[in-house]
Amino acid sequence: GDQRVIDMRVKNLFFDRPAVQRAIDPARRRALSKAGAFVRQRAKTSIRKRRGTSRPGQPPFAHEGSLRRMVLFGYDPRTESVVVGPVGFRRGNAPSVLEFGGRATVVRRRGGKRTKQAVRIAARPYMRPALEKEAPNLPKVWRNSVRGG
């Protein structure tokens, strides 16, 4: 249902799509795509696969990998920029709660019984630090995208 619609919209914004290629000139497209790819990779590698819970203020740990897989980037025609972040989660607001902190409902299993419990989760940012770490490299991406003429 809704998941397919969201995924279709995101896929239509990938930089290799004809509509995106028509919307922006090649040099700008290359620069934005590289910037998005660098920030995406930095965010993905910051989410390490480990058991347990990361410390507040540190990137979250990946238990089964869906958060890392769903960090994507695409062109935003409204702002004429690249957008990087997690997409495609069917239920809940886990990616946002992990980044900014907030409330979430967790399911606990004890002795065959399942109980739901509202918990407060401290921020474990992974997108903001990725952008901050890649920011010094982004001017080079733009400089290399423009050829003399």
Side-chain angles (χ1 to χ4, degrees):
D2 291 319
Q3 184 62 36
R4 194 173 324 152
V5 172
I6 292 168
D7 285 348
M8 269 308 279
R9 288 176 48 203
V10 169
K11 289 177 183 173
N12 288 339
L13 299 176
F14 289 167
F15 281 87
D16 62 352
R17 297 299 192 243
V20 172
Q21 291 181 354
R22 286 191 302 272
I24 50 178
D25 67 88
R28 183 177 174 87
R29 187 174 65 243
R30 274 191 306 274
L32 288 173
S33 181
K34 281 183 181 177
F38 290 157
V39 174
R40 172 184 181 244
Q41 189 59 38
R42 179 73 74 152
K44 286 177 65 168
T45 56
S46 76
I47 302 169
R48 296 199 170 116
K49 193 160 187 170
R50 296 207 172 129
R51 291 182 181 194
T53 306
S54 66
R55 292 187 323 238
Q58 298 297 310
F61 290 158
H63 298 148
E64 48 84 26
S66 60
L67 181 60
R68 286 195 307 196
R69 279 193 308 276
M70 300 311 288
V71 174
L72 304 174
F73 68 95
Y75 179 65
D76 182 355
R78 193 174 45 81
T79 59
E80 298 181 349
S81 62
V82 62
V83 180
V84 188
V87 297
F89 284 81
R90 293 180 188 192
R91 293 186 219 124
N93 57 350
S96 177
V97 170
L98 287 169
E99 180 74 26
F100 302 107
R103 299 191 68 74
T105 302
V106 296
V107 177
R108 300 197 189 271
R109 292 183 181 99
R110 291 182 190 192
K113 290 185 179 181
R114 291 174 44 163
T115 59
K116 290 184 179 181
Q117 180 182 4
V119 296
R120 184 152 215 30
I121 297 182
R124 287 167 170 81
Y126 52 100
M127 293 308 307
R128 182 182 42 79
L131 177 59
E132 289 172 355
K133 287 177 183 168
E134 284 301 322
N137 301 323
L138 298 182
K140 293 178 216 158
V141 168
W142 283 100
R143 184 176 63 240
N144 294 335
S145 72
V146 179
R147 303 282 181 243

Short mmCIF file of all heavy atoms in Angstrom, two decimals, residues 79-146:
data_model
loop_
_atom_site.label_atom_id
_atom_site.label_comp_id
_atom_site.label_asym_id
_atom_site.label_seq_id
_atom_site.Cartn_x
_atom_site.Cartn_y
_atom_site.Cartn_z
N THR A 79 13.92 22.38 -3.45
CA THR A 79 15.03 23.20 -2.94
C THR A 79 16.25 23.15 -3.86
O THR A 79 17.26 23.79 -3.56
CB THR A 79 15.44 22.73 -1.54
OG1 THR A 79 15.85 21.35 -1.62
CG2 THR A 79 14.31 22.88 -0.54
N GLU A 80 16.17 22.36 -4.94
CA GLU A 80 17.28 22.18 -5.88
C GLU A 80 18.55 21.76 -5.15
O GLU A 80 19.63 22.32 -5.33
CB GLU A 80 17.51 23.46 -6.70
CG GLU A 80 16.33 23.84 -7.55
CD GLU A 80 16.55 25.08 -8.38
OE1 GLU A 80 17.56 25.79 -8.16
OE2 GLU A 80 15.72 25.34 -9.25
N SER A 81 18.40 20.77 -4.28
CA SER A 81 19.52 20.30 -3.47
C SER A 81 19.46 18.79 -3.35
O SER A 81 18.54 18.15 -3.85
CB SER A 81 19.45 20.94 -2.07
OG SER A 81 18.26 20.53 -1.42
N VAL A 82 20.46 18.22 -2.69
CA VAL A 82 20.47 16.79 -2.42
C VAL A 82 19.97 16.57 -0.99
O VAL A 82 20.29 17.35 -0.09
CB VAL A 82 21.88 16.18 -2.62
CG1 VAL A 82 22.89 16.76 -1.67
CG2 VAL A 82 21.84 14.66 -2.50
N VAL A 83 19.16 15.54 -0.83
CA VAL A 83 18.64 15.17 0.49
C VAL A 83 19.15 13.78 0.82
O VAL A 83 19.11 12.88 -0.02
CB VAL A 83 17.09 15.17 0.48
CG1 VAL A 83 16.55 14.79 1.84
CG2 VAL A 83 16.56 16.52 0.06
N VAL A 84 19.66 13.61 2.05
CA VAL A 84 20.22 12.33 2.47
C VAL A 84 19.55 11.93 3.77
O VAL A 84 19.44 12.74 4.69
CB VAL A 84 21.74 12.43 2.71
CG1 VAL A 84 22.34 11.04 2.95
CG2 VAL A 84 22.44 13.14 1.58
N GLY A 85 19.11 10.67 3.87
CA GLY A 85 18.52 10.20 5.11
C GLY A 85 17.81 8.88 4.95
O GLY A 85 17.71 8.35 3.84
N PRO A 86 17.31 8.34 6.05
CA PRO A 86 16.63 7.04 6.00
C PRO A 86 15.22 7.16 5.45
O PRO A 86 14.50 8.10 5.77
CB PRO A 86 16.62 6.60 7.47
CG PRO A 86 16.65 7.87 8.23
CD PRO A 86 17.42 8.86 7.40
N VAL A 87 14.83 6.23 4.59
CA VAL A 87 13.48 6.18 4.04
C VAL A 87 13.00 4.73 4.02
O VAL A 87 13.79 3.80 4.14
CB VAL A 87 13.41 6.74 2.60
CG1 VAL A 87 13.78 8.20 2.56
CG2 VAL A 87 14.28 5.94 1.66
N GLY A 88 11.70 4.56 3.87
CA GLY A 88 11.16 3.22 3.65
C GLY A 88 10.79 2.44 4.88
O GLY A 88 10.57 1.24 4.80
N PHE A 89 10.69 3.09 6.05
CA PHE A 89 10.28 2.38 7.24
C PHE A 89 8.76 2.35 7.30
O PHE A 89 8.12 3.40 7.25
CB PHE A 89 10.87 3.02 8.50
CG PHE A 89 12.31 2.69 8.69
CD1 PHE A 89 13.29 3.39 8.00
CD2 PHE A 89 12.69 1.64 9.50
CE1 PHE A 89 14.63 3.07 8.14
CE2 PHE A 89 14.02 1.30 9.65
CZ PHE A 89 14.99 2.02 8.97
N ARG A 90 8.21 1.16 7.38
CA ARG A 90 6.75 1.02 7.30
C ARG A 90 6.03 1.55 8.52
O ARG A 90 5.01 2.20 8.42
CB ARG A 90 6.38 -0.45 7.12
CG ARG A 90 6.84 -0.95 5.79
CD ARG A 90 6.48 -2.38 5.60
NE ARG A 90 7.13 -2.81 4.37
CZ ARG A 90 6.87 -3.92 3.77
NH1 ARG A 90 6.02 -4.75 4.27
NH2 ARG A 90 7.49 -4.22 2.66
N ARG A 91 6.55 1.25 9.66
CA ARG A 91 5.88 1.66 10.89
C ARG A 91 6.85 2.38 11.79
O ARG A 91 8.03 2.13 11.79
CB ARG A 91 5.35 0.43 11.64
CG ARG A 91 4.25 -0.27 10.91
CD ARG A 91 3.71 -1.38 11.80
NE ARG A 91 3.44 -2.51 10.94
CZ ARG A 91 3.93 -3.71 11.10
NH1 ARG A 91 4.72 -3.98 12.10
NH2 ARG A 91 3.63 -4.67 10.27
N GLY A 92 6.28 3.24 12.60
CA GLY A 92 7.07 3.88 13.64
C GLY A 92 7.94 5.01 13.14
O GLY A 92 8.00 5.32 11.96
N ASN A 93 8.61 5.60 14.08
CA ASN A 93 9.45 6.76 13.80
C ASN A 93 10.86 6.54 14.31
O ASN A 93 11.53 7.47 14.71
CB ASN A 93 8.83 8.01 14.44
CG ASN A 93 8.62 7.84 15.94
OD1 ASN A 93 8.77 6.75 16.48
ND2 ASN A 93 8.27 8.93 16.61
N ALA A 94 11.31 5.30 14.30
CA ALA A 94 12.62 4.95 14.86
C ALA A 94 13.76 5.77 14.28
O ALA A 94 14.60 6.27 15.05
CB ALA A 94 12.90 3.46 14.69
N PRO A 95 13.87 5.97 12.95
CA PRO A 95 15.00 6.75 12.45
C PRO A 95 15.05 8.16 13.02
O PRO A 95 16.12 8.66 13.38
CB PRO A 95 14.77 6.78 10.93
CG PRO A 95 13.97 5.56 10.66
CD PRO A 95 13.07 5.41 11.86
N SER A 96 13.90 8.81 13.13
CA SER A 96 13.84 10.17 13.67
C SER A 96 14.13 10.19 15.16
O SER A 96 14.87 11.05 15.65
CB SER A 96 12.46 10.76 13.39
OG SER A 96 12.35 12.04 13.96
N VAL A 97 13.57 9.23 15.90
CA VAL A 97 13.81 9.18 17.35
C VAL A 97 15.28 8.92 17.64
O VAL A 97 15.85 9.52 18.55
CB VAL A 97 12.91 8.12 18.02
CG1 VAL A 97 13.32 7.89 19.47
CG2 VAL A 97 11.45 8.56 17.96
N LEU A 98 15.91 8.08 16.84
CA LEU A 98 17.33 7.83 17.05
C LEU A 98 18.15 9.09 16.79
O LEU A 98 19.06 9.41 17.55
CB LEU A 98 17.82 6.69 16.16
CG LEU A 98 17.36 5.30 16.56
CD1 LEU A 98 17.69 4.30 15.47
CD2 LEU A 98 17.97 4.88 17.89
N GLU A 99 17.84 9.81 15.74
CA GLU A 99 18.60 11.02 15.39
C GLU A 99 18.40 12.14 16.40
O GLU A 99 19.37 12.78 16.82
CB GLU A 99 18.18 11.52 14.00
CG GLU A 99 18.91 12.77 13.54
CD GLU A 99 20.35 12.53 13.13
OE1 GLU A 99 20.71 11.41 12.72
OE2 GLU A 99 21.15 13.48 13.23
N PHE A 100 17.15 12.39 16.80
CA PHE A 100 16.84 13.57 17.62
C PHE A 100 16.45 13.26 19.06
O PHE A 100 16.35 14.16 19.87
CB PHE A 100 15.69 14.35 16.97
CG PHE A 100 15.99 14.80 15.58
CD1 PHE A 100 15.38 14.21 14.50
CD2 PHE A 100 16.91 15.81 15.35
CE1 PHE A 100 15.66 14.62 13.20
CE2 PHE A 100 17.20 16.24 14.06
CZ PHE A 100 16.57 15.64 12.98
N GLY A 101 16.20 11.98 19.37
CA GLY A 101 15.66 11.63 20.69
C GLY A 101 14.15 11.78 20.68
O GLY A 101 13.57 12.37 19.78
N GLY A 102 13.50 11.20 21.67
CA GLY A 102 12.04 11.30 21.75
C GLY A 102 11.44 10.07 22.39
O GLY A 102 12.13 9.27 23.03
N ARG A 103 10.14 9.91 22.20
CA ARG A 103 9.41 8.80 22.78
C ARG A 103 9.17 7.72 21.73
O ARG A 103 8.96 8.03 20.57
CB ARG A 103 8.09 9.28 23.37
CG ARG A 103 8.31 10.31 24.48
CD ARG A 103 7.06 10.60 25.25
NE ARG A 103 6.59 9.50 26.07
CZ ARG A 103 7.13 9.09 27.20
NH1 ARG A 103 8.21 9.68 27.65
NH2 ARG A 103 6.62 8.10 27.87
N ALA A 104 9.20 6.48 22.18
CA ALA A 104 8.92 5.35 21.30
C ALA A 104 8.25 4.26 22.12
O ALA A 104 8.34 4.24 23.34
CB ALA A 104 10.21 4.82 20.68
N THR A 105 7.58 3.36 21.42
CA THR A 105 6.97 2.21 22.07
C THR A 105 7.81 0.99 21.77
O THR A 105 8.12 0.71 20.61
CB THR A 105 5.53 1.99 21.56
OG1 THR A 105 4.78 3.18 21.81
CG2 THR A 105 4.87 0.82 22.25
N VAL A 106 8.20 0.28 22.81
CA VAL A 106 8.98 -0.94 22.62
C VAL A 106 8.16 -2.14 23.08
O VAL A 106 7.32 -2.02 23.97
CB VAL A 106 10.32 -0.90 23.39
CG1 VAL A 106 11.20 0.20 22.85
CG2 VAL A 106 10.11 -0.73 24.87
N VAL A 107 8.39 -3.26 22.43
CA VAL A 107 7.71 -4.51 22.80
C VAL A 107 8.71 -5.36 23.54
O VAL A 107 9.81 -5.62 23.06
CB VAL A 107 7.19 -5.24 21.54
CG1 VAL A 107 6.56 -6.57 21.94
CG2 VAL A 107 6.20 -4.38 20.80
N ARG A 108 8.33 -5.77 24.72
CA ARG A 108 9.20 -6.63 25.53
C ARG A 108 8.55 -8.00 25.64
O ARG A 108 7.34 -8.11 25.81
CB ARG A 108 9.41 -6.04 26.91
CG ARG A 108 10.06 -4.66 26.86
CD ARG A 108 10.62 -4.30 28.21
NE ARG A 108 11.05 -2.93 28.26
CZ ARG A 108 12.26 -2.51 27.93
NH1 ARG A 108 13.16 -3.35 27.52
NH2 ARG A 108 12.58 -1.24 28.03
N ARG A 109 9.38 -9.05 25.56
CA ARG A 109 8.89 -10.43 25.69
C ARG A 109 9.46 -11.03 26.95
O ARG A 109 10.67 -11.06 27.13
CB ARG A 109 9.32 -11.23 24.47
CG ARG A 109 8.64 -10.79 23.21
CD ARG A 109 9.04 -11.67 22.03
NE ARG A 109 8.41 -11.21 20.82
CZ ARG A 109 8.98 -10.44 19.91
NH1 ARG A 109 10.23 -10.07 20.06
NH2 ARG A 109 8.31 -10.06 18.85
N ARG A 110 8.58 -11.50 27.79
CA ARG A 110 9.01 -12.17 29.02
C ARG A 110 8.13 -13.37 29.27
O ARG A 110 6.92 -13.23 29.42
CB ARG A 110 8.92 -11.21 30.21
CG ARG A 110 9.93 -10.10 30.12
CD ARG A 110 9.86 -9.21 31.30
NE ARG A 110 10.69 -8.02 31.03
CZ ARG A 110 11.03 -7.16 31.92
NH1 ARG A 110 10.63 -7.29 33.16
NH2 ARG A 110 11.76 -6.13 31.59
N GLY A 111 8.73 -14.52 29.30
CA GLY A 111 7.99 -15.75 29.58
C GLY A 111 6.83 -15.98 28.63
O GLY A 111 5.76 -16.41 29.05
N GLY A 112 7.02 -15.71 27.36
CA GLY A 112 5.98 -15.93 26.37
C GLY A 112 4.96 -14.81 26.29
O GLY A 112 4.09 -14.83 25.43
N LYS A 113 5.03 -13.83 27.14
CA LYS A 113 4.10 -12.71 27.10
C LYS A 113 4.77 -11.51 26.45
O LYS A 113 5.95 -11.26 26.65
CB LYS A 113 3.64 -12.31 28.51
CG LYS A 113 2.74 -13.32 29.16
CD LYS A 113 2.25 -12.79 30.49
CE LYS A 113 1.32 -13.79 31.15
NZ LYS A 113 0.81 -13.28 32.42
N ARG A 114 3.96 -10.77 25.69
CA ARG A 114 4.45 -9.55 25.05
C ARG A 114 3.77 -8.36 25.69
O ARG A 114 2.55 -8.32 25.81
CB ARG A 114 4.13 -9.56 23.56
CG ARG A 114 4.93 -10.59 22.80
CD ARG A 114 4.50 -10.69 21.37
NE ARG A 114 4.30 -9.36 20.79
CZ ARG A 114 4.23 -9.11 19.50
NH1 ARG A 114 4.32 -10.10 18.65
NH2 ARG A 114 4.05 -7.90 19.05
N THR A 115 4.56 -7.40 26.10
CA THR A 115 4.00 -6.17 26.66
C THR A 115 4.60 -4.97 25.92
O THR A 115 5.77 -5.00 25.53
CB THR A 115 4.31 -6.03 28.17
OG1 THR A 115 5.72 -6.03 28.34
CG2 THR A 115 3.69 -7.15 28.96
N LYS A 116 3.77 -3.95 25.75
CA LYS A 116 4.24 -2.72 25.12
C LYS A 116 4.52 -1.70 26.21
O LYS A 116 3.78 -1.61 27.19
CB LYS A 116 3.18 -2.17 24.17
CG LYS A 116 3.00 -3.00 22.93
CD LYS A 116 2.02 -2.34 22.00
CE LYS A 116 1.86 -3.19 20.74
NZ LYS A 116 0.93 -2.57 19.79
N GLN A 117 5.58 -0.95 26.01
CA GLN A 117 5.97 0.03 27.01
C GLN A 117 6.48 1.29 26.31
O GLN A 117 7.27 1.21 25.38
CB GLN A 117 7.07 -0.55 27.90
CG GLN A 117 7.56 0.38 28.97
CD GLN A 117 8.68 -0.25 29.78
OE1 GLN A 117 9.14 -1.35 29.48
NE2 GLN A 117 9.12 0.44 30.80
N ALA A 118 5.98 2.45 26.73
CA ALA A 118 6.46 3.72 26.20
C ALA A 118 7.76 4.07 26.91
O ALA A 118 7.86 3.99 28.13
CB ALA A 118 5.42 4.81 26.42
N VAL A 119 8.77 4.42 26.13
CA VAL A 119 10.08 4.76 26.69
C VAL A 119 10.57 6.06 26.07
O VAL A 119 10.17 6.45 24.98
CB VAL A 119 11.13 3.65 26.45
CG1 VAL A 119 10.75 2.37 27.17
CG2 VAL A 119 11.31 3.40 24.97
N ARG A 120 11.43 6.73 26.80
CA ARG A 120 12.09 7.94 26.29
C ARG A 120 13.48 7.53 25.83
O ARG A 120 14.20 6.85 26.56
CB ARG A 120 12.19 8.99 27.38
CG ARG A 120 12.77 10.28 26.90
CD ARG A 120 12.26 11.43 27.74
NE ARG A 120 12.01 12.70 27.18
CZ ARG A 120 11.64 13.06 25.96
NH1 ARG A 120 11.49 12.16 25.05
NH2 ARG A 120 11.43 14.29 25.61
N ILE A 121 13.83 7.93 24.62
CA ILE A 121 15.12 7.55 24.05
C ILE A 121 15.97 8.80 23.83
O ILE A 121 15.51 9.78 23.24
CB ILE A 121 14.92 6.79 22.72
CG1 ILE A 121 14.14 5.51 23.01
CG2 ILE A 121 16.24 6.53 22.03
CD1 ILE A 121 13.89 4.62 21.85
N ALA A 122 17.20 8.76 24.35
CA ALA A 122 18.12 9.88 24.14
C ALA A 122 18.62 9.86 22.70
O ALA A 122 18.72 8.80 22.07
CB ALA A 122 19.29 9.76 25.11
N ALA A 123 18.93 11.02 22.17
CA ALA A 123 19.40 11.13 20.79
C ALA A 123 20.68 10.34 20.57
O ALA A 123 21.59 10.35 21.39
CB ALA A 123 19.62 12.60 20.44
N ARG A 124 20.71 9.65 19.44
CA ARG A 124 21.89 8.94 18.98
C ARG A 124 22.10 9.33 17.52
O ARG A 124 21.82 8.56 16.60
CB ARG A 124 21.71 7.44 19.14
CG ARG A 124 21.79 7.02 20.61
CD ARG A 124 21.30 5.60 20.82
NE ARG A 124 21.62 5.16 22.17
CZ ARG A 124 20.89 5.46 23.24
NH1 ARG A 124 19.82 6.23 23.14
NH2 ARG A 124 21.25 5.01 24.43
N PRO A 125 22.55 10.58 17.30
CA PRO A 125 22.59 11.11 15.93
C PRO A 125 23.57 10.38 15.03
O PRO A 125 24.64 9.96 15.46
CB PRO A 125 22.98 12.58 16.12
CG PRO A 125 23.62 12.64 17.46
CD PRO A 125 23.03 11.53 18.28
N TYR A 126 23.18 10.22 13.78
CA TYR A 126 24.03 9.58 12.78
C TYR A 126 24.06 10.38 11.49
O TYR A 126 25.05 10.36 10.77
CB TYR A 126 23.56 8.13 12.52
CG TYR A 126 22.09 8.03 12.18
CD1 TYR A 126 21.66 7.90 10.88
CD2 TYR A 126 21.13 8.07 13.19
CE1 TYR A 126 20.31 7.83 10.57
CE2 TYR A 126 19.79 7.98 12.89
CZ TYR A 126 19.38 7.87 11.59
OH TYR A 126 18.04 7.79 11.29
N MET A 127 23.02 11.15 11.17
CA MET A 127 23.01 11.95 9.95
C MET A 127 23.74 13.28 10.14
O MET A 127 24.59 13.65 9.33
CB MET A 127 21.58 12.20 9.46
CG MET A 127 20.85 10.95 9.00
SD MET A 127 21.75 9.95 7.76
CE MET A 127 22.14 11.14 6.50
N ARG A 128 23.45 14.01 11.22
CA ARG A 128 24.11 15.30 11.45
C ARG A 128 25.63 15.14 11.56
O ARG A 128 26.37 15.87 10.89
CB ARG A 128 23.55 15.99 12.70
CG ARG A 128 24.19 17.36 12.96
CD ARG A 128 23.67 18.01 14.23
NE ARG A 128 23.53 17.11 15.36
CZ ARG A 128 24.53 16.71 16.15
NH1 ARG A 128 25.75 17.11 15.93
NH2 ARG A 128 24.29 15.90 17.16
N PRO A 129 26.12 14.17 12.34
CA PRO A 129 27.58 14.01 12.39
C PRO A 129 28.18 13.64 11.03
O PRO A 129 29.30 14.05 10.72
CB PRO A 129 27.78 12.88 13.40
CG PRO A 129 26.55 12.90 14.24
CD PRO A 129 25.45 13.32 13.32
N ALA A 130 27.46 12.86 10.23
CA ALA A 130 27.97 12.50 8.91
C ALA A 130 28.13 13.74 8.05
O ALA A 130 29.15 13.92 7.37
CB ALA A 130 27.03 11.50 8.24
N LEU A 131 27.14 14.63 8.07
CA LEU A 131 27.24 15.87 7.30
C LEU A 131 28.38 16.74 7.84
O LEU A 131 29.16 17.29 7.06
CB LEU A 131 25.92 16.64 7.36
CG LEU A 131 25.92 17.99 6.66
CD1 LEU A 131 26.27 17.84 5.18
CD2 LEU A 131 24.58 18.68 6.83
N GLU A 132 28.49 16.85 9.15
CA GLU A 132 29.55 17.68 9.73
C GLU A 132 30.94 17.17 9.36
O GLU A 132 31.84 17.94 9.08
CB GLU A 132 29.39 17.75 11.24
CG GLU A 132 28.20 18.59 11.67
CD GLU A 132 27.92 18.52 13.16
OE1 GLU A 132 28.59 17.74 13.89
OE2 GLU A 132 27.01 19.25 13.61
N LYS A 133 31.11 15.84 9.35
CA LYS A 133 32.42 15.28 9.01
C LYS A 133 32.75 15.41 7.53
O LYS A 133 33.91 15.53 7.16
CB LYS A 133 32.48 13.81 9.44
CG LYS A 133 32.58 13.66 10.94
CD LYS A 133 32.57 12.21 11.36
CE LYS A 133 32.59 12.09 12.87
NZ LYS A 133 32.30 10.74 13.35
N GLU A 134 31.73 15.37 6.68
CA GLU A 134 31.96 15.48 5.24
C GLU A 134 31.98 16.93 4.76
O GLU A 134 32.45 17.20 3.66
CB GLU A 134 30.89 14.70 4.47
CG GLU A 134 31.09 13.21 4.49
CD GLU A 134 32.42 12.77 3.90
OE1 GLU A 134 32.89 13.36 2.90
OE2 GLU A 134 33.02 11.84 4.44
N ALA A 135 31.48 17.87 5.56
CA ALA A 135 31.37 19.27 5.13
C ALA A 135 32.68 19.84 4.59
O ALA A 135 32.67 20.53 3.56
CB ALA A 135 30.82 20.12 6.27
N PRO A 136 33.84 19.58 5.22
CA PRO A 136 35.08 20.14 4.66
C PRO A 136 35.41 19.62 3.26
O PRO A 136 36.12 20.28 2.51
CB PRO A 136 36.16 19.69 5.66
CG PRO A 136 35.42 19.41 6.92
CD PRO A 136 34.07 18.91 6.50
N ASN A 137 34.90 18.44 2.89
CA ASN A 137 35.19 17.87 1.57
C ASN A 137 34.24 18.37 0.48
O ASN A 137 34.53 18.22 -0.70
CB ASN A 137 35.10 16.34 1.63
CG ASN A 137 36.07 15.76 2.62
OD1 ASN A 137 37.19 16.25 2.77
ND2 ASN A 137 35.65 14.73 3.33
N LEU A 138 33.11 18.93 0.86
CA LEU A 138 32.10 19.29 -0.13
C LEU A 138 32.53 20.41 -1.09
O LEU A 138 32.22 20.33 -2.28
CB LEU A 138 30.78 19.63 0.56
CG LEU A 138 30.17 18.46 1.35
CD1 LEU A 138 28.84 18.86 1.96
CD2 LEU A 138 30.03 17.22 0.50
N PRO A 139 33.27 21.43 -0.64
CA PRO A 139 33.73 22.43 -1.63
C PRO A 139 34.60 21.81 -2.73
O PRO A 139 34.54 22.24 -3.88
CB PRO A 139 34.53 23.43 -0.79
CG PRO A 139 33.94 23.31 0.58
CD PRO A 139 33.58 21.85 0.72
N LYS A 140 35.38 20.78 -2.41
CA LYS A 140 36.21 20.12 -3.42
C LYS A 140 35.34 19.44 -4.47
O LYS A 140 35.67 19.43 -5.65
CB LYS A 140 37.12 19.08 -2.77
CG LYS A 140 38.18 19.65 -1.87
CD LYS A 140 39.00 18.54 -1.24
CE LYS A 140 39.36 18.94 0.17
NZ LYS A 140 39.69 17.85 1.03
N VAL A 141 34.21 18.87 -4.02
CA VAL A 141 33.28 18.22 -4.96
C VAL A 141 32.77 19.24 -5.96
O VAL A 141 32.70 18.98 -7.15
CB VAL A 141 32.11 17.58 -4.17
CG1 VAL A 141 31.00 17.15 -5.11
CG2 VAL A 141 32.59 16.40 -3.36
N TRP A 142 32.42 20.43 -5.47
CA TRP A 142 31.93 21.47 -6.37
C TRP A 142 33.03 21.99 -7.28
O TRP A 142 32.81 22.20 -8.47
CB TRP A 142 31.31 22.62 -5.57
CG TRP A 142 29.95 22.25 -5.07
CD1 TRP A 142 29.63 21.82 -3.84
CD2 TRP A 142 28.76 22.20 -5.84
NE1 TRP A 142 28.29 21.53 -3.78
CE2 TRP A 142 27.74 21.75 -4.99
CE3 TRP A 142 28.44 22.50 -7.17
CZ2 TRP A 142 26.43 21.59 -5.41
CZ3 TRP A 142 27.14 22.35 -7.58
CH2 TRP A 142 26.15 21.90 -6.73
N ARG A 143 34.22 22.18 -6.72
CA ARG A 143 35.33 22.70 -7.53
C ARG A 143 35.64 21.74 -8.68
O ARG A 143 35.87 22.16 -9.80
CB ARG A 143 36.56 22.91 -6.63
CG ARG A 143 37.72 23.54 -7.37
CD ARG A 143 38.89 23.83 -6.45
NE ARG A 143 39.45 22.62 -5.88
CZ ARG A 143 39.52 22.35 -4.58
NH1 ARG A 143 39.08 23.23 -3.70
NH2 ARG A 143 40.03 21.24 -4.14
N ASN A 144 35.62 20.44 -8.39
CA ASN A 144 35.93 19.45 -9.41
C ASN A 144 34.80 19.23 -10.41
O ASN A 144 34.98 18.55 -11.40
CB ASN A 144 36.30 18.12 -8.76
CG ASN A 144 37.59 18.22 -7.97
OD1 ASN A 144 38.42 19.08 -8.24
ND2 ASN A 144 37.75 17.36 -6.98
N SER A 145 33.62 19.79 -10.14
CA SER A 145 32.49 19.56 -11.04
C SER A 145 32.42 20.59 -12.15
O SER A 145 31.68 20.43 -13.09
CB SER A 145 31.18 19.58 -10.24
OG SER A 145 30.89 20.90 -9.84
N VAL A 146 33.17 21.68 -12.02
CA VAL A 146 33.09 22.75 -13.02
C VAL A 146 34.38 22.73 -13.84
O VAL A 146 35.48 22.83 -13.28
CB VAL A 146 32.90 24.11 -12.31
CG1 VAL A 146 32.85 25.22 -13.37
CG2 VAL A 146 31.66 24.11 -11.47
#
